[in-house]
Amino acid sequence: MQAEIIAVGTEILLGQITNTNSTYIARGLAELGIDSYYQTVVGDNRQRLSTVIEIAAQRNDLVILTGGLGPTKDDLTKQTLAHYLNVALVEDQAAMQKITAWFATNDKVMTANNRLQALYPAGAQPLTNHNGMAVGAFYQSENSADFLLLPGPPRELAVMFDSEAKPKLAAAYGEQAQIYSRVMRFYGISESELATRLQPLIDEQQAVTIAPYAKTNEVTLRLSAQAMTETAARGMIDKVDHQIKATIGPYFYGYGDDNSLVTTVINQMIAAKLSITAAESLTAGLFQSTIGSVSGVSAIFPGGFVTYANEAKHQLVNVPQAIIDAEGVVSEATAKAMASGAKQQLNTDVGISFTGVAGPGTLEGQPAGTVWIGLAYRDRPVKAKQYHFAGNRQQIRERSVMAGLDLLRHALNEDTDLKNNTNFCSLFACNSNFEQL
């Protein structure tokens, strides 16, 4: 079963409004197991609209038209469709009564063109508009594609599609295989490298589609399968999921459309009851602000330090002046001292530090993008890692924060105490966040 969505409106073509209707409908079709391979936008022109209707009807079982059902001169959708179907337009009496009652209640004169909103193609099933006046319609044909007419305003379309159209589509087409999806998230690998390393797997897949998407500072994979039941789809996706992890597992950090690296890491720390603090130089509090966006972080984050100046590093987190004098602030030794000093000052389980060159100029002979991140994790030896980030000043700061979160992620994953905690494992290690689209 295949459908095409046609959004009608010159204002969409001109970019004056965003076509959110097609997105909404496409999601609803997926829930019904109806494939949607084409989406078209056409202006308020009878000839061009007639052409796209004919093309869509030839290559689909169902054609959905949105917009152009109103009373103005450029609302031509139902008239054009009726002409294509060679049927008349008839009046829906309930819709007509609603329109006349509205004008009477609001003490306004109803012009003749408002009657157009109550018309629909003869032979179709009228669809009630609960949030407006223009009636919709579902037309089933024996010799051609079926047609669904929906209004353009999103608040009208959404209610009509959910309450009126979807039940009729389900009744008309019966049970269809549905699309189920899972989103995997990765940090530390580019989209091009991820695609290259997974190319053999992508090429051999038939039952499961693998779609990579580049996000800001990370990459996601959407695994999708079409099946009659969620259990069947889960089995297909699980197999591919395991193959992907076997190939690029170290970069994988979590599941879900709405997930993020900071959410994953901080929720793991909350579950493990590991407190954290930070000492930040070039990031100037950005790391602390980022973890502060996660609900519940107050349980593990008592506060931290912004140690931008050398004096602040010494005064606030006890970085020995000798280290600063001998090694400089852009150094492994300073990063380690900042992390351990912050941890000691607030008596937390974890201390993390950021020191480096955000740019645009150099510092201590180090180019912009040179960053050291220190990590004092529980009773483990303090360590620091050097990075070289590209980009402008803000991008370097943001990438530093992401790298710090990734250092924490690896520390948590390597913590044998956490792996032995069955409650922690049940929350994170075995999470699959399976989604039905």
Side-chain angles (χ1 to χ4, degrees):
M1 186 68 196
Q2 182 175 311
E4 180 164 345
I5 305 166
I6 301 175
V8 183
T10 302
E11 66 276 13
I12 301 175
L13 287 175
L14 294 176
Q16 295 173 345
I17 65 170
T18 302
N19 179 21
T20 59
N21 285 341
S22 293
T23 302
Y24 191 88
I25 295 169
R27 289 174 179 169
L29 292 177
E31 292 173 0
L32 294 169
I34 299 174
D35 294 325
S36 178
Y37 297 148
Y38 303 97
Q39 292 185 14
T40 304
V41 178
V42 61
D44 300 303
N45 178 281
R46 189 186 297 271
Q47 182 177 351
R48 288 191 285 271
L49 177 56
S50 182
T51 299
V52 298
I53 287 175
E54 184 173 358
I55 293 171
Q58 291 174 355
R59 63 189 183 189
N60 296 279
D61 306 299
L62 171 67
V63 179
I64 303 174
L65 296 111
T66 72
L69 305 186
T72 61
K73 187 176 181 180
D74 60 353
D75 290 316
L76 303 168
T77 302
K78 66 179 68 175
Q79 296 91 325
T80 305
L81 178 61
H83 182 266
Y84 172 81
L85 296 172
N86 195 28
V87 299
L89 288 173
V90 296
E91 184 179 285
D92 179 78
Q93 293 184 357
M96 191 71 252
Q97 291 174 0
K98 180 179 179 180
I99 293 170
T100 55
W102 185 90
F103 279 93
T105 302
N106 290 275
D107 195 26
K108 294 182 180 293
V109 177
M110 190 180 86
T111 55
N113 59 345
N114 280 286
R115 295 182 176 274
L116 294 174
Q117 296 180 96
L119 301 181
Y120 66 96
Q125 303 175 58
L127 305 179
T128 302
N129 190 333
H130 298 279
N131 283 339
M133 297 184 185
V135 65
F138 178 43
Y139 185 93
Q140 292 182 269
S141 173
E142 295 182 359
N143 304 315
S144 179
D146 297 337
F147 289 89
L148 180 65
L149 284 173
L150 299 170
R155 66 183 297 271
E156 297 180 25
L157 176 138
V159 175
M160 182 183 290
F161 183 64
D162 290 340
S163 64
E164 299 285 327
K166 286 177 71 175
K168 287 182 168 53
L169 295 177
Y173 306 131
E175 187 178 8
Q176 303 282 327
Q178 297 184 34
I179 297 175
Y180 298 84
S181 182
R182 180 183 300 169
V183 173
M184 303 179 71
R185 308 187 77 95
F186 302 83
Y187 173 81
I189 186 171
S190 67
E191 182 186 22
S192 58
E193 183 183 355
L194 180 145
T196 299
R197 295 179 63 174
L198 294 181
Q199 198 60 52
L201 184 59
I202 294 173
D203 290 342
E204 72 181 28
Q205 284 306 310
Q206 295 180 347
V208 178
T209 60
I210 305 173
Y213 298 92
K215 305 287 186 179
T216 302
N217 296 321
E218 65 175 297
V219 184
T220 66
L221 284 178
R222 181 174 292 276
L223 313 183
S224 300
Q226 192 167 29
M228 296 301 293
T229 67
E230 179 178 323
T231 300
R234 185 191 295 272
M236 292 186 285
I237 290 179
D238 279 346
K239 180 180 179 181
V240 178
D241 183 313
H242 295 152
Q243 291 173 316
I244 291 171
K245 287 177 182 174
T247 306
I248 54 172
Y251 302 103
F252 168 77
Y253 76 80
Y255 295 96
D257 261 328
D258 299 326
N259 201 0
S260 67
L261 184 58
V262 65
T263 300
T264 297
V265 170
I266 296 305
N267 281 332
Q268 286 180 336
M269 295 194 70
I270 292 171
K273 298 180 180 179
L274 294 178
S275 58
I276 183 172
T277 187
E280 301 183 63
S281 184
L282 84 154
T283 47
L286 184 59
F287 176 83
Q288 295 170 72
S289 174
T290 301
I291 68 172
S293 67
V294 180
S295 178
V297 71
S298 60
I300 61 163
F301 176 52
F305 309 89
V306 175
T307 58
Y308 216 66
N310 292 355
E311 294 80 3
K313 294 177 178 63
H314 176 62
Q315 294 172 3
L316 297 179
V317 293
N318 299 322
V319 176
Q321 189 63 44
I323 289 180
I324 296 176
D325 293 340
E327 304 289 340
V329 294
V330 188
S331 67
E332 178 181 10
T334 297
K336 288 182 176 180
M338 289 171 63
S340 60
K343 179 176 180 288
Q344 291 169 8
Q345 286 288 82
L346 293 186
N347 192 30
T348 57
D349 297 299
V350 180
I352 189 168
S353 67
F354 300 83
T355 182
V357 192
T362 62
L363 177 64
E364 299 178 344
Q366 302 289 335
T370 304
V371 176
W372 280 95
I373 301 177
L375 184 64
Y377 184 86
R378 304 184 77 177
D379 56 356
R380 275 64 165 178
V382 182
K383 62 182 181 180
K385 185 175 180 180
Q386 187 181 45
Y387 298 85
H388 296 280
F389 297 119
N392 60 35
R393 182 178 177 84
Q394 183 61 21
Q395 289 171 329
I396 290 170
R397 296 172 69 242
E398 290 173 354
R399 287 166 183 168
S400 298
V401 169
M402 291 292 290
L405 290 166
D406 196 51
L407 268 183
L408 279 170
R409 177 177 73 88
H410 283 288
L412 290 165
N413 290 342
E414 294 164 5
D415 192 332
T416 54
D417 291 340
L418 297 185
K419 290 181 179 179
N420 293 330
N421 185 326
T422 55
N423 290 332
F424 183 85
C425 177
S426 65
L427 283 172
F428 298 103
C430 310
N431 185 18
S432 66
N433 281 5
F434 197 75
E435 302 171 8
Q436 176 185 338
L437 287 181

